[in-house]
Amino acid sequence: MDFDVVIVGAGPSGLSAASRLMQQANEAGQELTVCVVEKGSEVGAHILSGAVFEPRALNELFPDWEERGAPLTTPATRDELYLLKDAEKAQKLPNALVPKTMHNTGGQNHDKESTRYVISAGNLCRWLGEQAEALGVEIFPGFAAQEVIQDEDGTVRGILIGDMGVGADGQPKDGHMPGMELRAKYTLFAEGARGHLGKRLIRDFELDAGKDPQHYGIGLKELWDIPAEQHEPGLVLHGSGWPLDKQTHGGWFLYHAENQQVVVGLIMDLSYQNPWLSPFDEFQRMKHHPVLKQHLEGGKRVAYGARAIAKGGLNCLPKMTFPGGLLIGCDAGTLNFAKIKGLHTAMKSGLVAAEAVFEALKQGDEGGRELTTFTEKWEASWAYQELKESASFGPAIHKYGTVGGGAYNFLDQLLGGKLPNVHDTTPDHATLKPAAECEKIDYPKPDGKLSFDKPSSVFLSNTNHEEDQPCHLKLADPELPIRDNLPTYAEPASRYCPAGVYEVVEADDGTPKFQINFQNCVHCKTCDIKDPAQNITWVAPEGGGGPNYPNM
């Protein structure tokens, strides 16, 4: 099938790009065919974000979003920031010491420019999908892009959708449907953090030449129904400190959303050193702290999910153009970690991409060029300026610790970004220390009220994969986990995975065996990022597989 533009991923950046493309075509009276492919079973099924949403890009895309029924109904009304000192004690930081990028309640007068909203990012994407389709965009959910179609000279010409109905042995089953070529003049890759095609494009086109390696965090999130008397719609809490040690950086959030619900989560840097550490278990014990417990106690957990986030910022942002296509949103790494927000910058990158692509097509461009005009437009945008102003935010925390880095960033923001730019050139997978050099962590057993185990959590993510299909977690060397990772790092995959995908079990002959339960995979990509040998490659499974987040 031939299109003018193919977009991989129905997330904020992809859907924004699709809508803007059709808006421009309709205004110009020009025929345009735009197709969005989405590996999730529906638009929004794989979307996971905090989220306190800054609607700046949405105001540009759909100024009348309120009349259109966008799911932004809960303005952020009150900010609280805490430093958890230990399992019981906490210090609430005065407002004057909270970095300006962390303020979410500037819009008490509810004007569109400054109000922030507590939202479900999945529901925002479902709504954006409806707007895009109404404009004439074709959206194909349940179809996973598996390969990039390229000419002999490397020019990108579209994507290949994976086969449906292939058995674990690689042979077609009953009902087999072969993959399809979707060819396009321009292809936009908007897969989210650590997209498997984006990763290859960055490598093949050397888009990260001269850049710091991308840095990631793992975000774990739960949705809770809570008693009415504990609910304060629009209350926004952030914090750091316990249970993470001084060598492990991260922070938590707890937002009061609509419908007597709160979202609670932990974002932990994947640059951590101790291989005994389990992000999932850190998150579970964190909820027992009195600061968080008071909001959750007596409530019921209704959803769980996890996702890696690209948090390196400007220093790690690759070149986003190559012949025949663009890398946008979190596939490139446009999240502003100083704000702990990426939806607005991802959307803006999609808008800029749409404008650069349409400008070319309007002039009769037949595709395949490198759209350098995108770079000019992107670097002139407010989103790029945001990333420029906070370029040192993440690296400073890595270098000076949570408190020292926080002080550096507070001063840097006070001085308008005048302090020297800080860099972190160590990839996240290279930071683990040998297990023998680290303290083993004895995590408390979950109580089934505030804290839970992985199997019950994965159940709440509605994750499902057809069992008789090839494993989508590829090992370059199948012997390496037991031969190298087990003796050196106590095979950390069983702990860094938030879904119980990886286990070391006993084989029939009594020797250890590395087992992959790929059916549990929530598509967070942590294994692809954190494996110390970079032996695991995540590729898209059969379309429609993975989590089905209802309201995340």
Side-chain angles (χ1 to χ4, degrees):
M1 296 177 70
D2 291 301
F3 297 90
D4 291 310
V5 184
V6 165
I7 299 172
V8 183
S13 61
L15 292 170
S16 297
S19 293
R20 174 65 96 210
L21 279 163
M22 294 308 293
Q23 283 176 342
Q24 293 172 108
N26 294 342
E27 286 166 12
Q30 188 168 331
E31 286 287 318
L32 193 72
T33 54
V34 178
C35 164
V36 179
V37 294
E38 164 57 41
K39 65 182 173 66
S41 60
E42 64 165 1
V43 174
H46 289 178
I47 298 294
L48 184 77
S49 174
V52 172
F53 179 60
E54 183 176 313
R56 188 170 183 179
L58 182 62
N59 292 339
E60 295 177 9
L61 179 59
F62 294 113
D64 59 344
W65 56 260
E66 210 163 353
E67 293 77 24
R68 289 170 177 258
L72 280 64
T73 58
T74 309
T77 55
R78 191 155 66 90
D79 267 317
E80 293 183 0
L81 186 64
Y82 291 88
L83 180 63
L84 305 188
K85 296 191 166 184
D86 57 28
E88 294 294 329
K89 295 176 186 170
Q91 180 182 352
K92 185 178 178 182
L93 298 184
N95 210 37
L97 292 180
V98 177
K100 64 180 181 180
T101 55
M102 298 280 287
H103 287 278
N104 293 292
T105 52
Q108 294 303 309
N109 53 354
H110 298 302
D111 68 274
K112 277 192 171 185
E113 290 304 313
S114 54
T115 304
R116 312 286 180 262
Y117 295 86
V118 179
I119 68 161
S120 155
N123 288 342
L124 175 67
C125 287
R126 290 179 178 94
W127 179 84
L128 283 171
E130 291 168 4
Q131 309 312 304
E133 287 185 316
L135 286 164
V137 175
E138 293 185 61
I139 300 179
F140 298 155
F143 290 92
Q146 286 289 6
E147 299 290 343
V148 179
I149 299 171
Q150 292 175 273
D151 286 347
E152 286 181 9
D153 65 357
T155 301
V156 172
R157 297 294 182 182
I159 54 158
L160 180 66
I161 291 174
D163 290 8
M164 304 281 276
V166 176
D169 58 2
Q171 297 302 308
K173 301 184 293 189
D174 290 344
H176 171 256
M177 191 168 73
M180 184 181 289
E181 286 188 5
L182 301 183
R183 291 187 169 265
K185 293 174 182 174
Y186 287 102
T187 308
L188 310 186
F189 294 85
E191 307 163 282
R194 196 71 164 199
H196 79 114
L197 298 181
K199 176 184 166 184
R200 291 185 218 167
L201 291 163
I202 290 169
R203 179 194 66 205
D204 294 348
F205 286 106
E206 298 180 345
L207 302 178
D208 56 353
K211 304 288 186 175
D212 292 354
Q214 185 60 266
H215 294 287
Y216 298 88
I218 177 173
L220 303 113
K221 176 184 172 183
E222 292 174 352
L223 185 66
W224 284 66
D225 290 334
I226 63 166
E229 61 271 17
Q230 288 167 217
H231 189 233
E232 185 187 329
L235 175 59
V236 172
L237 281 75
H238 288 110
S240 60
W242 184 89
L244 306 182
D245 62 33
K246 289 182 179 178
Q247 283 72 48
T248 308
H249 312 302
W252 55 268
F253 58 88
L254 192 151
Y255 308 146
H256 284 243
E258 58 193 358
N259 302 325
Q260 272 181 235
Q261 291 190 320
V262 298
V263 297
V264 59
L266 172 68
I267 298 172
M268 207 183 93
D269 282 11
L270 287 175
S271 61
Y272 68 84
Q273 299 174 2
N274 186 346
W276 297 109
L277 191 146
S278 162
F280 174 87
D281 292 297
E282 296 287 341
F283 175 42
Q284 294 306 314
R285 69 173 173 171
M286 179 197 84
K287 289 179 290 173
H288 286 272
H289 195 284
V291 168
L292 291 97
K293 182 180 179 180
Q294 64 182 322
H295 296 273
L296 304 173
E297 206 162 28
K300 181 187 178 186
R301 186 178 73 145
V302 293
Y304 163 82
R307 185 69 171 94
I309 63 171
K311 55 174 286 294
L314 186 73
N315 294 345
C316 309
L317 194 68
K319 184 182 174 192
M320 295 161 73
T321 64
F322 45 87
L326 294 167
L327 209 58
I328 58 175
C330 289
D331 218 348
T334 58
L335 180 137
N336 181 355
F337 197 63
K339 285 187 173 182
I340 326 178
K341 293 179 181 63
L343 297 175
H344 66 303
T345 47
M347 289 178 70
K348 182 60 176 177
S349 74
L351 299 184
V352 175
E355 286 158 14
V357 169
F358 185 74
E359 193 176 86
L361 295 177
K362 191 178 178 184
Q363 294 167 1
D365 190 331
E366 288 302 309
R369 293 193 301 114
E370 182 161 353
L371 295 175
T372 52
T373 54
F374 166 82
T375 306
E376 295 164 17
K377 292 173 184 290
W378 170 242
E379 291 184 356
S381 73
W382 54 258
Y384 185 85
Q385 191 59 37
E386 265 194 32
L387 297 183
K388 195 173 179 182
E389 288 171 3
S390 58
S392 292
F393 192 89
I397 290 171
H398 286 192
K399 189 169 183 178
Y400 306 123
T402 302
V403 176
Y408 181 97
N409 288 317
F410 182 80
L411 186 59
D412 193 37
Q413 289 176 11
L414 209 60
L415 298 174
K418 297 288 195 298
L419 293 182
N421 195 355
V422 181
H423 292 267
D424 180 357
T425 56
T426 305
D428 294 336
H429 70 265
T431 57
L432 280 183
K433 291 182 175 179
E437 295 178 17
C438 299
E439 187 178 345
K440 197 169 182 179
I441 303 173
D442 183 23
Y443 289 105
K445 286 186 178 177
D447 67 354
K449 295 175 183 175
L450 287 174
S451 50
F452 305 89
D453 60 14
K454 284 183 182 176
S456 65
S457 300
V458 174
F459 177 78
L460 285 182
S461 71
N462 301 307
T463 295
N464 184 55
H465 295 88
E466 173 62 50
E467 291 198 20
D468 184 17
Q469 67 171 290
C471 177
H472 65 279
L473 301 156
K474 309 293 185 184
L475 300 181
D477 178 356
E479 309 301 321
L480 187 142
I482 300 302
R483 186 189 66 229
D484 299 345
N485 281 355
L486 184 60
T488 308
Y489 302 107
E491 185 41 81
S494 60
R495 292 176 293 281
Y496 61 59
C497 173
V501 170
Y502 302 101
E503 291 181 286
V504 176
V505 299
E506 195 175 287
D508 293 338
D509 62 1
T511 58
K513 174 187 171 188
F514 191 61
Q515 180 169 294
I516 302 177
N517 309 307
F518 75 84
Q519 299 91 337
N520 287 5
C521 180
V522 294
H523 298 198
C524 75
K525 317 286 182 70
T526 303
C527 55
D528 193 294
I529 297 162
K530 190 60 178 172
D531 180 65
Q534 291 294 275
N535 188 47
I536 303 172
T537 298
W538 190 100
V539 300
E542 190 171 288
N548 281 280
Y549 298 131
N551 196 28
M552 299 283 263

